[in-house]
Amino acid sequence: MSDLVKMEGITDLTKIGAELISQGAEAKTFKLNYFGMECIIKERFVKTYRHPTLDSKISNKRILQEIRSLNKCKKNGIDVPGLLFVDIVQTRIMMEFVNGITVKQFLYNNCENNYQNTQTPEIIRICREIGQQVCKIHDLNLIHGDLTTSNILLRTSTNNSTVFIDFGLSYTSTLAEDKAVDLYVLERAFISTHPNSESLFNEILQSYKDSSKNSPSVINRLDQVRLRGRKKLAFG
Ligand SMILES: Nc1ncnc2c1ncn2[C@@H]1O[C@H](COP(=O)(O)OP(=O)(O)OP(=O)(O)O)[C@@H](O)[C@H]1O
């Protein structure tokens, strides 16, 4: 308990042995050995260009969204990191450390940037699992908000099963439009991070289609979202 108390008062987590593993646009992610258990602390930092009151409101909203969505997924059998501790004052979430790598790293390691000719059964399986899990998330009327290959981990201990992370931009919606935009964000992330990987995204979509009776309306909507996206790219 003493480490937890220490953590509450401390502004610099590296002083209690935490290791900074990633710094995103809004948060720093640390790894900490907590009583022999590896864990992750995600700390949202102050954005000085925002008005302090607005910044604090946005930060709190993202933390609350993240913990609500993690809990909702966990309760409904979608693998996400287990939540351990939340500190609203210091805008920190402490969660289970998932031993594994991101889908992005896995694809880099296994495809050597040649996504057309290096589709192993394992890669196809992972893509199909992503489609199935995104569909499950959407069936809970939850929109992830930032689906990328960096925000899906592969858990080593369960033979590379998928674990979804980073729910800070998630929200609740029943609309096919919002679910289609979520898929579109993932499609764009695939295209920009893994060029010529269209066939992999098609596997994801096929599996999404196969996973729920609600899928057809979302997939139909995706065509409209893509069209809008292309127009935006062409005409600004
Ligand atoms: N529970 C976890 N277990 C293991 N690694 C994690 C975990 N959570 C996050 N990470 C690692 O930290 C990185 C950043 O985490 P996350 O995406 O949640 O933060 P972020 O600051 O919102 O990132 P970004 O702004 O880049 O989207 C992940 O890509 C992953 O490598």
Side-chain angles (χ1 to χ4, degrees):
M1 198 64 195
S2 62
D3 270 14
L4 190 58
V5 172
K6 259 195 269 167
M7 197 180 91
E8 275 182 9
I10 215 135
T11 46
D12 180 359
L13 288 171
T14 58
K15 292 207 170 118
I16 54 162
E19 175 201 353
L20 179 68
I21 59 163
S22 148
Q23 170 147 7
E26 307 242 325
K28 288 180 183 173
T29 306
F30 297 86
K31 188 176 169 190
L32 175 71
N33 187 302
Y34 182 64
F35 289 106
M37 179 176 63
E38 303 281 26
C39 68
I40 286 285
I41 300 170
K42 193 167 162 178
E43 179 182 73
R44 296 197 167 270
F45 48 80
V46 173
K47 308 287 288 233
T48 43
Y49 60 79
R50 275 190 206 132
H51 186 279
T53 315
L54 178 67
D55 186 59
S56 152
K57 262 192 183 165
I58 292 176
S59 224
N60 286 352
K61 189 174 165 212
R62 300 244 161 102
I63 289 202
L64 286 176
Q65 237 1 89
E66 183 143 24
I67 58 179
R68 275 192 198 123
S69 299
L70 286 173
N71 277 336
K72 194 168 186 182
C73 285
K74 193 56 116 197
K75 259 198 221 157
N76 287 280
I78 296 157
D79 196 2
V80 292
L83 201 54
L84 300 171
F85 176 73
V86 182
D87 182 343
I88 290 287
V89 178
Q90 303 228 57
T91 53
R92 289 175 186 152
I93 299 180
M94 188 185 198
M95 64 186 115
E96 169 202 2
F97 169 74
V98 176
N99 192 18
I101 58 172
T102 61
V103 168
K104 177 178 171 179
Q105 197 56 52
F106 183 87
L107 291 178
Y108 281 161
N109 294 350
N110 288 278
C111 298
E112 291 158 357
N113 255 344
N114 183 355
Y115 300 100
Q116 274 161 335
N117 302 322
T118 44
Q119 287 183 25
T120 63
E122 177 66 345
I123 291 172
I124 304 286
R125 183 201 62 76
I126 289 169
C127 289
R128 293 199 63 82
E129 192 177 314
I130 292 172
Q132 194 188 43
Q133 295 302 303
V134 172
C135 190
K136 266 186 163 182
I137 293 173
H138 285 177
D139 274 352
L140 295 173
N141 292 324
L142 195 62
I143 312 299
H144 181 283
D146 191 18
L147 284 173
T148 65
T149 51
S150 302
N151 286 337
I152 309 169
L153 304 179
L154 298 172
R155 204 185 266 282
T156 307
S157 62
T158 46
N159 300 320
N160 285 340
S161 65
T162 54
V163 186
F164 285 74
I165 61 166
D166 199 4
F167 285 81
L169 293 175
S170 64
Y171 61 98
T172 302
S173 170
T174 55
L175 300 178
E177 164 76 17
D178 292 335
K179 296 173 186 177
V181 170
D182 217 22
L183 284 176
Y184 184 65
V185 168
L186 181 60
E187 181 172 38
R188 299 301 308 171
F190 251 89
I191 291 169
S192 60
T193 322
H194 312 285
N196 303 316
S197 64
E198 285 79 0
S199 54
L200 296 185
F201 188 73
N202 286 340
E203 285 293 339
I204 294 179
L205 268 195
Q206 188 55 51
S207 153
Y208 184 96
K209 270 185 207 163
D210 297 343
S211 300
S212 165
K213 62 176 182 359
N214 301 322
S215 303
S217 61
V218 179
I219 301 291
N220 287 340
R221 200 73 195 189
L222 178 60
D223 287 335
Q224 295 175 33
V225 174
R226 281 170 168 158
L227 202 63
R228 283 206 313 263
R230 276 198 288 271
K231 276 190 191 152
K232 213 171 170 186
L233 277 178
F235 305 113

